[in-house]
Amino acid sequence: MSVTHDRTHAAVPGAAGGAPEPGTAGIAGSAGTGGDAEIAGDADIAPVAALIADGARAAMLTALLDGRALAAGELARIAGVSAPTASSHLARLLDGGLVTVVKQGRHRYYRLAGPDVARTLEVLARISGRVAVRSLRQSRQARLLREARSCYDHLAGRVGVELYDALVREGGLIEADGGCLLTESGAEALTELGVDVERVRRARRRFAPDCLDWLERRPHLGGALGAAVLDRLLAREWLVRGTVPRALRLTGAGREGLERIFGCKDLS
């Protein structure tokens, strides 16, 4: 049985250390005394945290967890702010390295700067409170997101958790500390889905980390392998996008295919 394991650790956004601001070092005491206001080499997380802390910017970043690029007007509507205010917020997120911009002709579309940003937002979601459901519309949205949704570029929700559980149960994945080992049988099943496993192994990101689902409180498959799986599920229309941002709908063909290839038995 062959396995693949990637133990590399991705950096968290804003983790690069830097020199203290002039006049700030040593205010509370001398080096080595334990009283320094800052320690040389420490990550300065405050600017990144401040960017995320604003309610409108947080709403925009959460919407971009869909993995797709959105126009400033769409993000303004989602955040409930005016177009000029949205542009100001997006400029700050762009300067802070949390989003990137894609230009198509005269149009500009924004997306998360990468999987590290998405992973940071998902971790914050796990330790944050839930938005109160106050209407039937919000109740429907919450139900759809819980069933299946994109977690940046991989599959989350009940369907994602069931797929992960089936891969482990059927011996396709072996759980390890901070990631998963892909077995030969698992590689064969993924190849049947249409995943180019060897190409995914060469991707410049973690291969198959588990990702704790902030709604289900159980893991789903992340990393390069999780992204490749979601890409194939969408390409085969086993999952389709709906009108609710990030929400995905499992089709009848998808339900049958996931049971046949991976042994998912609890998707009815």
Side-chain angles (χ1 to χ4, degrees):
M1 177 175 66
S2 64
V3 297
T4 299
H5 190 200
D6 188 335
R7 292 183 177 271
T8 59
H9 294 278
V12 174
E21 292 279 330
T24 61
I27 292 176
S30 60
T33 64
D36 288 335
E38 295 183 13
I39 300 176
D42 266 6
D44 186 6
I45 66 173
V48 175
L51 283 174
I52 299 173
D54 179 86
R57 291 195 292 271
M60 292 177 178
L61 291 169
T62 300
L64 292 174
L65 274 171
D66 186 273
R68 293 179 292 178
L70 298 176
E74 295 176 275
L75 292 169
R77 178 180 54 79
I78 290 169
V81 297
S82 67
T85 299
S87 295
S88 176
H89 284 311
L90 288 167
R92 293 190 62 181
L93 292 173
L94 190 62
D95 289 342
L98 295 184
V99 302
T100 59
V101 64
V102 180
K103 297 180 181 179
Q104 291 186 357
R106 295 181 301 170
H107 302 287
R108 293 161 60 91
Y109 298 90
Y110 296 85
R111 69 190 320 157
L112 293 184
D116 285 350
V117 179
R119 186 159 46 247
T120 300
L121 295 172
E122 285 287 328
V123 170
L124 288 173
R126 291 203 294 268
I127 62 175
S128 301
R130 300 289 172 261
V131 175
V133 174
R134 304 184 186 279
S135 67
L136 288 175
R137 178 173 173 271
Q138 289 179 327
S139 177
R140 175 179 174 273
Q141 290 176 341
R143 177 176 55 80
L144 291 173
L145 289 172
R146 168 153 269 161
E147 181 67 10
R149 68 185 185 280
S150 54
C151 178
Y152 185 54
D153 60 359
H154 53 272
L155 175 62
R158 188 178 73 91
V159 177
V161 167
E162 170 57 22
L163 175 56
Y164 178 91
D165 286 349
L167 280 164
V168 173
R169 183 175 62 245
E170 300 296 323
L173 288 177
I174 298 175
E175 294 179 300
D177 183 21
C180 299
L181 305 173
L182 179 65
T183 69
E184 185 175 348
S185 65
E188 290 174 355
L190 291 170
T191 299
E192 184 176 350
L193 178 64
V195 174
D196 185 341
V197 175
E198 292 306 316
R199 182 184 62 80
V200 176
R201 283 173 174 159
R202 296 191 295 270
R204 298 184 64 180
R205 62 188 290 192
R206 295 183 67 189
F207 178 63
D210 55 7
C211 182
L212 184 65
D213 195 292
W214 63 272
L215 284 175
E216 294 295 311
R217 302 294 178 176
R218 292 157 57 202
H220 57 253
L221 183 62
L225 190 59
V229 168
L230 178 57
D231 182 66
R232 291 305 307 155
L233 292 173
L234 290 169
R236 298 183 75 155
E237 296 187 344
W238 288 8
L239 287 171
V240 295
R241 298 188 186 274
T243 57
V244 176
R246 302 181 63 196
L248 302 169
R249 180 174 61 83
L250 181 66
T251 65
R255 187 174 292 106
E256 294 173 3
L258 290 175
E259 181 174 359
R260 176 176 57 82
I261 296 177
F262 300 104
C264 298
K265 303 182 184 302
D266 296 320
L267 293 178
S268 57

